[in-house]
Amino acid sequence: MNALNIAEYTHTLGLQAKTASALMARAQAAIKNKALLALARLLRENVQALQADNAADLARARAAGLPEPMVDRLKLTPAVLETCALGCEQLAAMPDIIGEIIGMKQQPSGIRVGQMRVPIGVFGMIYESRPNVTIEAASLSIKSGNACILRGGSEAIDSNRALARLVALALAEAGLPEHGVQLVQTTDRAAVGQLIAMPAYVDVIIPRGGKGLIERISAEAKVPVIKHLDGNCHSYVDDPCDLDLAVTVVDNAKTQKYSPCNATESLLVARAVAPAFLPRIGAVFAEKGVEMRVCAESRALLATVSGAKLVDATEADWSEEYLAPIISIKVVAGLDEAIAWINRYSSHHTEAILTTDHRHAQRFLREVDSASCMVNASTRFADGFEYGLGAEIGISTDKFHARGPVGLEGLTSLKYVVLGEGEVRR
Amino acid sequence: MNALNIAEYTHTLGLQAKTASALMARAQAAIKNKALLALARLLRENVQALQADNAADLARARAAGLPEPMVDRLKLTPAVLETCALGCEQLAAMPDIIGEIIGMKQQPSGIRVGQMRVPIGVFGMIYESRPNVTIEAASLSIKSGNACILRGGSEAIDSNRALARLVALALAEAGLPEHGVQLVQTTDRAAVGQLIAMPAYVDVIIPRGGKGLIERISAEAKVPVIKHLDGNCHSYVDDPCDLDLAVTVVDNAKTQKYSPCNATESLLVARAVAPAFLPRIGAVFAEKGVEMRVCAESRALLATVSGAKLVDATEADWSEEYLAPIISIKVVAGLDEAIAWINRYSSHHTEAILTTDHRHAQRFLREVDSASCMVNASTRFADGFEYGLGAEIGISTDKFHARGPVGLEGLTSLKYVVLGEGEVRR
């Protein structure tokens, strides 16, 4: 397609999505759940066929010389497909939030005013490699009563097309509109530029992928973006604290898994507890091969830990999201410096305080300007499922609309409903 | 100032606002209320001085040949200033919503997860003529614990400067940071361009003024905008309905005041009740001098109304926001056509159904895609004060973040708070 055709094509997708969104919005909960269960069944019935389509993507990726970890992310194994099917079933089992009315109160004029939760309309999802995101996005779209337009990576186009065909079958089986979920069929990059600049048709864009993709989309989008940038999360070991608890939690926050955005990347320690705490956590990190980027004061206290990989921290380290067995460590005077430090260097994702002092805990919760603020818990808990949201659209590092882990509610808006008996304005 | 100086100046304002916002956010409710009451007192103490400063703006406006209604909007009369002072006192009397924690629940892991309401940080308000908006914005900023940067119209710069000096005195008296509320001191338009493109410092922009201003700002802003565009509101007279009630409510919705955005601009009438209803409402409109832009079917039914100003409606009429004694009138088959018509032509601000049928009422509330959906009430009720919000930032015609009348909550975000006892992720 040339540029003109792509503009026309995405415009058509937008108009179809907008039209379908009205039908998706008014679909009964039972109908939406029927589509989700049909999709789960179709995924299980088509494991072999899907793997055949997936093989085309894998062959192309290997021929193009993609590194094997990247090829891995493209794979639709039976296990990946089963996880997708289970996800659809879990969504079907969740309560429906559309139509919920909150806060209905009578006003002095006599009218009763409340808010009704309704779908936001149309969302666009832009993602890379992993084709299973096609099913995640489609199922969230169905459950939340939104229409969506999906744009996956060109490297997964055969898998995505095959998955989208199953989604279409599931929609049809339940009697939902065929354009409720649409996959962008062209791999031309210009389609992304169009998709993020159609405020008449698309209410919100959700990018999933590397920081480069998300920054580019945020900069160019003409519609709201639910975006997730860095997770430079801090754990702060306060004075006073329970040292055993602090060692256990900080160890988990850093080493339970290195790649997630909610892993702790920076450790702050109150000066008064540093001599007792740092050698203990240092020994844990040394044993697990975690490199420590340290301030001068931490270095002195960690010098005696055998096998410790110590590197002097540079200014850049304090803002870094390593996603690796590396942690920056800084001794601070106490709570005030810890809060100021976090508000300066954090990416405002998730921070935890380890403390036994009630007032310190309250101040940390109130004054730290991050999407998740925790007391005596591992930063690794910052996650839609751990928070009981049932499903996760993404984790927002913005403050507008949705902040932190975003569940189905992030794809809805609240409109006012007013019930009167002939009241007029005086 | 030249362009470089203006960029530097707005950057400085942004940095100062950001720094002040941390102090505003943690200010106690009593301190914020003290500042609001001090501001109310200062406004009353300085009525004469403020009128002297205001006189400079008025003289300049008249010299520039501004039409008298425009000059009127610039005036700081004792009545306008008293309304400002009362507004501050009302805000001081309202409960503080900052720090409120909602939905705290224990999760299977043992952690307790809830959400805490916190200020959004820094907002920018961009407005025209009326200098009293300076006080409205400053007082909302203080109550909500946000810092703000205010950019008023150049025609009101002397009045705005005088008001901002009082705000600074009130902040100082209560011990709040001097940069909590800042007025842009230059009247250069380039400052607006800068202000709306500093995502590092400004979390949301609120434009107040004509459609041109709001469209320009929305198109160019690099930060979220709480925007209010058209109010093309509909009243739909359903079959069946209480005709007396319908006449009373539709009359009020159109004629109680012509200029507000929540006045009804378009009347839809179900075919079955049109012969009984239209002549009655037509007589009311004829008596009040309201011009009717009618479809052919309405024209036939209104032909016998003496003194009726009937004009054939053009396609453009169905989308028009008149803000004047003009209403468009259309006969529809019934509920389905009414809903489809509204979703096509409305600006998604406010729509009302007049009906006695429960199922019709429910469908209208659910299926009409507007910020406020009403049953048997005047569209004129779509207003922050009538909805019990206590204060109104504006009315949002967007679906993202805030929709419909926006109260103090629109200037806040919800962050997650997690309370643990040493839990770790498995």
Side-chain angles (χ1 to χ4, degrees):
Chain A
M1 291 197 228
N2 62 29
L4 191 66
N5 289 347
I6 284 174
E8 209 174 278
Y9 169 67
T10 50
H11 187 277
T12 303
L13 291 182
L15 186 59
Q16 288 170 347
K18 181 90 183 167
T19 307
S21 70
L23 300 170
M24 294 293 282
R26 80 171 76 141
Q28 289 183 4
I31 300 291
K32 295 187 284 184
N33 293 339
K34 187 177 171 189
L36 289 168
L37 295 177
L39 182 53
R41 195 197 69 239
L42 287 163
L43 285 167
R44 292 200 179 100
E45 285 173 5
N46 288 277
V47 170
Q48 288 198 311
L50 287 166
Q51 286 191 280
D53 288 300
N54 185 233
D57 287 331
L58 298 178
R60 225 179 27 251
R62 289 201 178 100
L66 233 67
E68 205 52 28
M70 297 284 280
V71 175
D72 258 355
R73 306 179 71 189
L74 277 176
K75 279 185 188 158
L76 285 180
T77 63
V80 166
L81 290 167
E82 178 58 23
T83 303
C84 289
L86 282 172
C88 294
E89 288 170 346
Q90 280 164 6
L91 273 177
M94 279 176 63
D96 202 287
I97 59 172
I98 299 305
E100 173 193 24
I101 292 182
I102 61 173
M104 181 70 76
K105 291 195 187 82
Q106 194 177 28
Q107 299 301 324
S109 62
I111 59 172
R112 278 162 295 153
V113 180
Q115 288 177 295
M116 182 191 282
R117 192 169 293 286
V118 292
I120 204 156
V122 177
F123 71 89
M125 179 89 88
I126 297 169
Y127 49 105
E128 296 170 330
S129 10
R130 299 186 196 274
N132 44 319
V133 175
T134 303
I135 297 300
E136 273 185 50
S139 57
L140 289 168
S141 170
I142 293 168
K143 185 71 183 189
S144 62
N146 286 287
C148 70
I149 302 175
L150 309 179
R151 161 64 195 223
S154 56
E155 64 281 14
I157 187 73
D158 285 289
S159 312
N160 287 336
R161 282 183 182 146
L163 292 167
R165 279 193 294 272
L166 298 187
V167 172
L169 289 174
L171 290 172
E173 193 173 319
L176 289 171
E178 59 168 329
H179 296 130
V181 177
Q182 296 179 98
L183 179 75
V184 176
Q185 296 288 339
T186 171
T187 59
D188 194 309
R189 283 206 155 200
V192 174
Q194 292 289 331
L195 189 58
I196 64 176
M198 305 194 297
Y201 301 129
V202 176
D203 296 287
V204 59
I205 289 284
I206 306 165
R208 284 255 192 110
K211 203 178 158 185
L213 172 85
I214 293 168
E215 280 180 337
R216 205 164 58 242
I217 285 172
S218 305
E220 291 166 19
K222 300 284 179 203
V223 298
V225 177
I226 295 182
K227 62 172 168 287
H228 171 207
L229 289 168
D230 300 16
N232 174 26
C233 303
H234 293 72
S235 290
Y236 164 58
V237 179
D238 188 36
D239 166 37
C241 77
D242 176 331
L243 285 180
D244 292 340
L245 181 153
V247 170
T248 308
V249 171
V250 172
D251 173 20
N252 182 267
K254 178 66 223 177
T255 71
Q256 194 253 349
K257 220 171 172 185
Y258 296 112
S259 59
C261 56
N262 55 19
T264 284
E265 303 289 15
S266 197
L267 169 65
L268 304 180
V269 185
R271 187 158 290 129
V273 301
F277 177 74
L278 274 179
R280 287 185 60 185
I281 196 72
V284 173
F285 288 155
E287 198 202 323
K288 297 191 176 178
V290 176
E291 178 181 314
M292 294 170 257
R293 305 271 176 99
V294 293
C295 68
E297 216 171 329
S298 321
R299 177 178 270 278
L301 293 166
L302 289 161
T304 57
V305 176
S306 82
K309 287 199 274 182
L310 302 180
V311 176
D312 288 331
T314 65
E315 177 68 16
D317 277 303
W318 307 123
S319 309
E320 195 67 48
E321 182 184 30
Y322 300 114
L323 304 175
I326 307 174
I327 189 166
S328 65
I329 302 180
K330 161 88 184 161
V331 172
V332 294
L335 183 68
D336 283 329
E337 191 184 347
I339 293 174
W341 184 275
I342 290 170
N343 285 342
R344 175 168 176 195
Y345 289 105
S346 165
S347 64
H348 311 294
H349 187 298
T350 299
E351 333 292 341
I353 184 174
L354 292 311
T355 190
T356 54
D357 184 299
H358 177 70
R359 209 173 129 262
H360 286 194
Q362 292 301 316
R363 279 197 54 205
F364 190 89
L365 291 177
R366 281 199 295 260
E367 296 178 23
V368 170
D369 183 28
S370 293
S372 291
C373 299
M374 303 184 167
V375 177
N376 295 336
S378 168
T379 56
R380 289 279 293 110
F381 280 114
D383 171 289
F385 293 93
E386 293 292 341
Y387 283 6
L389 305 181
E392 187 180 283
I393 313 296
I395 298 184
S396 167
T397 49
D398 276 332
K399 295 179 181 182
F400 210 67
H401 189 69
R403 188 174 188 186
V406 183
L408 288 169
E409 284 190 5
L411 292 175
T412 67
S413 78
L414 290 168
K415 70 178 179 188
Y416 281 98
V417 291
V418 176
L419 303 181
E421 300 181 32
E423 285 82 359
V424 293
R425 185 86 181 264
R426 302 288 168 198
Chain B
M1 288 196 229
N2 63 27
L4 191 67
N5 289 346
I6 284 174
E8 209 173 279
Y9 170 66
T10 48
H11 187 276
T12 303
L13 290 181
L15 187 58
Q16 287 170 348
K18 182 88 182 168
T19 307
S21 71
L23 299 170
M24 295 293 282
R26 78 171 76 143
Q28 289 184 4
I31 300 291
K32 294 186 285 184
N33 294 339
K34 188 178 171 188
L36 290 167
L37 295 176
L39 182 53
R41 196 197 67 239
L42 287 163
L43 286 166
R44 292 198 179 101
E45 286 172 3
N46 289 278
V47 169
Q48 288 198 312
L50 288 167
Q51 286 190 280
D53 288 300
N54 185 232
D57 288 332
L58 299 178
R60 221 174 37 245
R62 290 199 178 100
L66 233 67
E68 206 53 29
M70 296 284 281
V71 175
D72 259 355
R73 306 179 73 191
L74 276 177
K75 278 185 189 158
L76 284 181
T77 63
V80 166
L81 290 168
E82 179 57 23
T83 303
C84 288
L86 283 173
C88 293
E89 288 170 346
Q90 281 164 7
L91 272 177
M94 280 176 64
D96 202 289
I97 58 172
I98 300 304
E100 172 193 24
I101 292 182
I102 60 174
M104 181 70 75
K105 290 195 188 80
Q106 195 177 27
Q107 300 300 324
S109 63
I111 59 172
R112 278 163 294 152
V113 180
Q115 287 177 295
M116 182 191 282
R117 192 169 293 286
V118 291
I120 205 157
V122 176
F123 70 89
M125 179 87 90
I126 296 169
Y127 48 105
E128 296 169 329
S129 8
R130 299 186 196 275
N132 45 320
V133 176
T134 303
I135 297 299
E136 273 185 51
S139 57
L140 289 168
S141 169
I142 293 168
K143 185 71 182 189
S144 63
N146 286 286
C148 71
I149 301 175
L150 308 179
R151 159 67 195 222
S154 55
E155 64 280 15
I157 186 73
D158 285 290
S159 312
N160 287 337
R161 282 184 182 146
L163 291 167
R165 279 193 294 271
L166 298 187
V167 172
L169 289 174
L171 290 173
E173 194 173 318
L176 289 172
E178 60 168 327
H179 296 130
V181 177
Q182 296 179 97
L183 180 74
V184 177
Q185 296 288 338
T186 172
T187 59
D188 193 308
R189 284 205 155 204
V192 173
Q194 291 290 331
L195 190 56
I196 64 177
M198 305 194 295
Y201 301 130
V202 176
D203 295 288
V204 59
I205 289 285
I206 305 164
R208 284 255 191 109
K211 202 178 159 185
L213 172 83
I214 293 168
E215 280 180 337
R216 206 165 56 243
I217 285 172
S218 305
E220 291 167 18
K222 299 284 178 204
V223 299
V225 177
I226 295 182
K227 62 171 168 287
H228 171 207
L229 290 168
D230 300 17
N232 174 25
C233 303
H234 292 71
S235 289
Y236 164 58
V237 179
D238 189 36
D239 165 39
C241 76
D242 175 331
L243 285 180
D244 293 339
L245 182 152
V247 171
T248 307
V249 171
V250 172
D251 173 21
N252 182 267
K254 179 65 224 177
T255 73
Q256 194 252 349
K257 218 171 173 184
Y258 296 112
S259 59
C261 56
N262 55 19
T264 284
E265 303 288 15
S266 198
L267 170 63
L268 304 180
V269 185
R271 186 157 291 129
V273 300
F277 177 74
L278 274 179
R280 287 186 60 185
I281 195 73
V284 173
F285 288 155
E287 197 202 323
K288 297 191 176 179
V290 176
E291 180 181 311
M292 294 170 257
R293 306 271 175 98
V294 293
C295 69
E297 215 171 329
S298 320
R299 177 177 271 276
L301 292 167
L302 288 162
T304 59
V305 176
S306 83
K309 289 199 273 183
L310 301 180
V311 175
D312 287 333
T314 64
E315 176 69 14
D317 277 303
W318 308 123
S319 308
E320 195 67 48
E321 182 184 27
Y322 301 114
L323 304 175
I326 307 173
I327 190 167
S328 66
I329 302 180
K330 161 86 185 163
V331 172
V332 294
L335 182 68
D336 283 330
E337 190 184 347
I339 292 175
W341 184 276
I342 290 171
N343 285 342
R344 174 168 176 194
Y345 289 106
S346 164
S347 64
H348 311 293
H349 186 297
T350 298
E351 333 291 342
I353 183 173
L354 292 312
T355 189
T356 53
D357 185 298
H358 178 70
R359 209 174 130 262
H360 286 193
Q362 293 301 317
R363 279 197 54 205
F364 190 88
L365 291 178
R366 282 200 294 259
E367 295 178 24
V368 170
D369 182 28
S370 293
S372 289
C373 299
M374 303 184 167
V375 178
N376 295 335
S378 168
T379 56
R380 288 279 293 111
F381 280 114
D383 172 289
F385 294 94
E386 293 292 341
Y387 282 4
L389 304 182
E392 187 180 280
I393 314 294
I395 298 185
S396 167
T397 49
D398 276 330
K399 295 180 182 183
F400 210 67
H401 189 69
R403 188 174 188 185
V406 183
L408 287 170
E409 284 190 6
L411 293 175
T412 67
S413 78
L414 291 168
K415 72 179 179 187
Y416 281 98
V417 290
V418 176
L419 304 180
E421 301 180 32
E423 285 82 358
V424 293
R425 186 87 181 263
R426 302 288 168 198

